[in-house]
Amino acid sequence: MKFTTFSALAVLASTFIACKKDNSGMLDTPAAKTTITVENVLNSKPLVESGVFQGSGTPLILPGQSTTIQFSAAKGEAISFAAMYGASNDLFFAPDNPGIQVYSGDGTPIEGDVSSQVKLWDNGTRVNQKPGASVSHPGVAETRNVTEVTGTDAQGNTYLAASKLVKASLKYNGNSVFTLTLENTSGGTANETPLSPGVWSVSYIVGNSLLSPAPLFAKDKPTANGLTSIAEAGDNGPLYTYVKGLTGIFTPLSPVLVVVYNGIDNPLYKVGENDRNQGLKDLAQKGDANVLAGYLRSKLGVKAVYVLAASGTTVLLPIINGQTGSKVSQELTIAKGDRVAVATMYGFSNDWFFATGADGIDPFNKGDASNSIALYNNGTAIDQFPGAGITQFNLTGTPLAESKPITAVPNPNTFTTLPDIQNFVKVTIQ
């Protein structure tokens, strides 16, 4: 993770007594103690996007015809797909895992012919027949691992390189959006074949590792998850059902800013106003709450400021493969009239942040306070698909500046549909 590493701040709670003035200039009532806990409760998914493709007019992509796939990707992410070699018993076209890379090492989008990355694979579930022969479906069953077909198959049948049968071309549309065009170029060859409808996917990258490096099949392993339906019958339904279940949202949360205040409005931001240049931009773009925390400690009406980092990683990770997400807690010293503001970055975004609304949280109301949280756009960086943007700071990018008022993030938005906020962040007062 590229979040700046922070140690959780050890802040000693002040002891308040009756008739002592706080920073707000108001008289305190006797102090009380409470604890706030913030959790990342997102049930994360490994795939950013997935979908299906087919021909136009007919589901098959016939020789001379083409189809397109539009998708978003960050540096290190790749596009994978699978479609049947129609004139076969169980062969399919796909790039080797993890898929076709769409950025060079320096982050430059790759454009043009990428056909050399398309391969021909044997699903290992039906005995192959000579290309061009009248293939029999379903054919004779067998049980072998998925293997690449390079020149000849297990029965000695010969094939042109997959790049001679399927032309793959990338076009960069801007703002981390690409179009992949697949053209059936097999016409007139010894391996003339239709292509079946197919399935495609893009995996999230976290650090330097893809969450799903083999999303559709595993080389030299048994076929699984509905791939056989494509390889034998050109039916993309079962495999798409599988990948759709793995597609959704993944994001860590940055170290959490917690502020106790009294007698003033929410000190972090106001919807409809531009960023105040006090450090919220650092939190929203980079997950760095320290600048804003430093400013708030000297602000009239602010009684206490904390930056809470998760043990080990500093960021709050979501639920991954059923493992509990990260959480942080802080004991607060509170008095009558105090409110609590909370803010944390939507880590895989350009400048989105979760925060309490204008009224903050009443720390005397025990229990789940998650309904006080909403997702906001800081308006200081151009948005991209969350988790698939080349300029997202925590995906090794540099945000592209803009200047717009702070607004709530709509759901669904331009890029995706998000889970309910309560399925991202849980805030509890104990």
Side-chain angles (χ1 to χ4, degrees), residues 22 24 26 261-265 300-303 336-339:
D22 63 15
S24 69
M26 299 177 64
Y261 64 98
N262 195 314
I264 59 173
D265 292 335
L300 189 68
V302 173
K303 299 176 65 174
K336 183 179 179 181
D338 285 353
R339 311 296 293 185

Side-chain angles (χ1 to χ4, degrees), residues 76-322:
E77 295 176 346
I79 173 76
S80 186
F81 67 86
M84 182 187 182
Y85 179 121
S88 75
N89 288 342
D90 69 338
L91 303 184
F92 65 95
F93 293 102
D96 203 349
N97 288 316
I100 297 173
Q101 292 288 334
V102 296
Y103 293 97
S104 60
D106 64 1
T108 302
I110 295 172
E111 294 191 274
D113 193 334
V114 291
S115 305
S116 62
Q117 297 185 60
V118 180
K119 310 294 182 184
L120 182 61
W121 304 88
D122 187 337
N123 194 55
T125 52
R126 297 288 170 184
V127 175
N128 297 322
Q129 293 176 266
K130 183 179 178 180
S134 178
V135 297
S136 57
H137 293 297
V140 179
E142 64 177 356
T143 303
R144 294 186 296 106
N145 292 337
V146 174
T147 56
E148 183 180 354
V149 177
T150 55
T152 59
D153 61 20
Q155 284 70 42
N157 300 310
T158 59
Y159 299 86
L160 292 173
S163 59
K164 302 294 185 182
L165 307 176
V166 179
K167 182 179 180 181
S169 305
L170 276 174
K171 180 184 177 183
Y172 185 57
N173 305 323
N175 210 33
S176 298
V177 179
F178 292 83
T179 297
L180 175 66
T181 299
L182 300 177
E183 180 184 357
N184 185 338
T185 56
S186 69
T189 73
N191 298 120
E192 184 167 336
T193 181
L195 307 182
S196 76
V199 174
W200 64 270
S201 67
V202 177
S203 170
Y204 284 103
I205 191 167
V206 179
N208 294 316
S209 299
L210 291 167
L211 291 182
S212 184
L216 305 181
F217 71 98
K219 182 179 180 179
D220 298 326
K221 301 288 185 182
T223 186
N225 307 318
L227 178 62
T228 294
S229 294
I230 282 187
E232 291 188 3
D235 179 2
N236 60 359
L239 183 58
Y240 180 56
T241 297
Y242 169 74
V243 298
K244 187 177 181 181
L246 299 178
T247 305
I249 299 300
F250 180 98
T251 187
L253 304 178
S254 70
V256 181
L257 179 67
V258 176
V259 181
V260 181
Y261 64 98
N262 195 314
I264 59 173
D265 292 335
N266 184 324
L268 308 184
Y269 72 98
K270 186 175 182 179
V271 170
E273 291 184 354
N274 282 32
D275 182 272
R276 296 169 180 170
N277 237 2
Q278 297 167 350
L280 180 60
K281 181 175 77 170
D282 296 88
L283 183 151
Q285 290 188 9
K286 304 176 183 180
D288 181 359
N290 282 350
V291 177
L292 183 55
Y295 169 81
L296 292 174
R297 289 191 179 99
S298 63
K299 182 176 176 62
L300 189 68
V302 173
K303 299 176 65 174
V305 180
Y306 309 89
V307 178
L308 310 180
S311 176
T313 61
T314 75
V315 302
L316 278 67
L317 294 173
I319 299 168
I320 304 174
N321 295 328

